Amino acid sequence: MPLRPIHLLGSEILRQASAPVTAVDDAVRRLVDDMFETMDAAEGVGLAANQVGIGQRVAVVDAEGDGFAMVNPRRV
C-alpha cells in the first residue's frame, strides 16, 4: 500500500465538492487502505479522500486505536 501525498491548505482540490461513491469496489478498498497507511505515517487521527487528491466522499478515522472508514458520510 503506497503512501499518498497529503494536500495542504491552499490546494484547489480541498475547495471542490467531492463526488459520492457509487459502489464499494476493490479500488475504493485500496483507497481506504492507502488512506489508513498515509494517516498513520502522518500521525493523524482522520483523513478525507480529498486530502490525498481524490475527489470522492471517503474518510478514515482512528479513534483511540479503533480505526474505521466512512463512505458517503453526511451530516444529519
Side-chain angles (χ1 to χ4, degrees):
M1 294 175 281
L3 294 179
R4 295 185 181 230
I6 296 176
H7 291 255
L8 302 175
L9 185 63
S11 177
E12 186 61 34
I13 195 161
L14 299 178
R15 296 178 185 188
Q16 298 172 3
S18 295
V21 174
T22 58
V24 177
D25 55 16
D26 287 341
V28 172
R29 289 183 188 93
R30 275 192 304 277
L31 172 62
V32 167
D33 289 343
D34 291 353
M35 289 173 62
F36 270 117
E37 186 173 338
T38 301
M39 178 185 67
D40 290 344
E43 298 181 5
V45 295
L47 189 66
N50 64 341
Q51 291 176 286
V52 293
I54 305 296
Q56 290 186 306
R57 296 187 63 189
V58 177
V60 296
V61 176
D62 186 343
E64 299 181 7
D66 289 328
F68 60 94
M70 297 179 284
V71 176
N72 294 327
R74 61 185 198 144
R75 191 181 318 175
V76 292

